[in-house]
Amino acid sequence: MKIAIVYGSLTGNTERLAKGVFDRIAPEHEKALFNIKDNPDLSDYDVVGFGFWVDRSFPFKAMKELISETRNKEVFLMGTMGYFPDSDHGQACIKNTVGLVDKSCNIMGYFICNGKVDMRLLERIAQMKPKNMGEEVFKKHMLDEKNLIKYKMLGEHVNDTDIEYCSARFNERVAMKAAIDSL
Ligand SMILES: Cc1cc2nc3c(=O)[nH]c(=O)nc-3n(C[C@H](O)[C@H](O)[C@H](O)COP(=O)(O)O)c2cc1C
């Protein structure tokens, strides 16, 4: 099978995940790794893995557009985000991303994990005021002692376990498709 992984990354988290998954693709498949900045031509590939970081509950803009425009591919979505993937916000991010995929494509699967939040973003968060965002959202984000522990621990991602898990799921889905195609 011909597999392309295309990713974008501001601070390196998504790049780490995408490269880790790419390196672990089984040797029988033809593969290519692209940075979205290079405007890759994906027409030749059967499977496309999209590596994205979450920007306000969606994949960042260029990836959002690329996912929406893609037709007739087997698609795997792999993302990184600053908050808990298993929170309501995380589930909404996944739903938003899945919702971008055209009906002509088949979603083989998805994976989303934490990615260290950039210090500059945390500094912006520190300037936020409850009156602008509501008390509840403010409490979730503000840099108090509890949240600093969360930001620090979540900031240890993307880690090797994330990469292994994402890669195992991706490779399993690719192997499944290859086996079904060979019937
Ligand atoms: C402008 C901006 C918006 C973001 N929006 C969200 C968000 O809505 N939810 C979230 O969980 N993380 C958000 N993040 C955090 C990033 O998605 C996260 O740190 C990601 O791992 C960054 O990936 P990268 O290192 O590949 O750039 C945002 C980061 C930036 C810079």
Side-chain angles (χ1 to χ4, degrees):
M1 230 174 312
K2 292 188 80 170
I3 302 175
I5 305 264
V6 53
Y7 72 92
S9 185
L10 271 186
T11 63
N13 301 327
T14 314
E15 181 172 54
R16 179 145 197 259
L17 180 67
K19 286 190 168 168
V21 170
F22 178 77
D23 289 344
R24 288 164 178 74
I25 292 172
E28 65 267 25
H29 302 295
E30 231 178 280
K31 63 177 183 176
L33 179 71
F34 299 107
N35 190 315
I36 193 167
K37 282 187 187 155
D38 299 326
N39 205 11
D41 177 4
L42 303 172
S43 53
D44 219 19
Y45 295 90
D46 311 301
V47 174
V48 182
F50 293 103
F52 64 93
W53 58 273
V54 168
D55 180 353
R56 288 156 291 175
S57 307
F58 277 88
F60 65 96
K61 188 166 177 282
M63 188 60 80
K64 189 177 171 186
E65 287 166 7
L66 181 63
I67 295 172
S68 309
E69 285 161 8
T70 300
R71 299 283 180 274
N72 302 310
K73 300 287 176 199
E74 294 290 321
V75 166
F76 191 91
L77 305 162
M78 51 184 107
T80 72
M81 63 185 290
Y83 200 60
F84 298 91
D86 48 351
S87 63
D88 288 349
H89 175 55
Q91 296 304 306
C93 295
I94 290 165
K95 198 168 171 227
N96 290 342
T97 309
V98 164
L100 298 171
V101 180
D102 186 73
K103 290 201 172 11
S104 65
C105 298
N106 176 49
I107 300 175
M108 304 175 92
Y110 60 75
F111 174 87
I112 192 159
C113 66
N114 285 115
K116 183 186 172 94
V117 176
D118 188 48
M119 212 47 226
R120 282 164 301 181
L121 184 62
L122 286 182
E123 281 160 10
R124 286 220 305 272
I125 290 172
Q127 307 302 320
M128 294 189 309
K129 302 272 181 293
K131 69 173 167 37
N132 298 335
M133 55 198 312
E135 193 69 37
E136 198 188 330
V137 179
F138 177 75
K139 274 193 184 147
K140 273 188 187 158
H141 286 80
M142 67 183 184
L143 300 187
D144 64 357
E145 217 176 344
K146 280 187 195 162
N147 280 346
L148 281 172
I149 290 173
K150 291 183 193 169
Y151 282 122
K152 184 172 180 303
M153 293 186 77
L154 296 180
E156 286 160 16
H157 297 263
V158 171
N159 63 26
D160 289 346
T161 310
D162 297 321
I163 295 170
E164 292 298 343
Y165 196 102
C166 183
S167 161
R169 184 176 295 176
F170 180 66
N171 287 338
E172 183 184 69
R173 303 293 157 87
V174 168
M176 207 178 277
K177 175 166 171 46
I180 290 170
D181 284 355
S182 72
L183 289 176

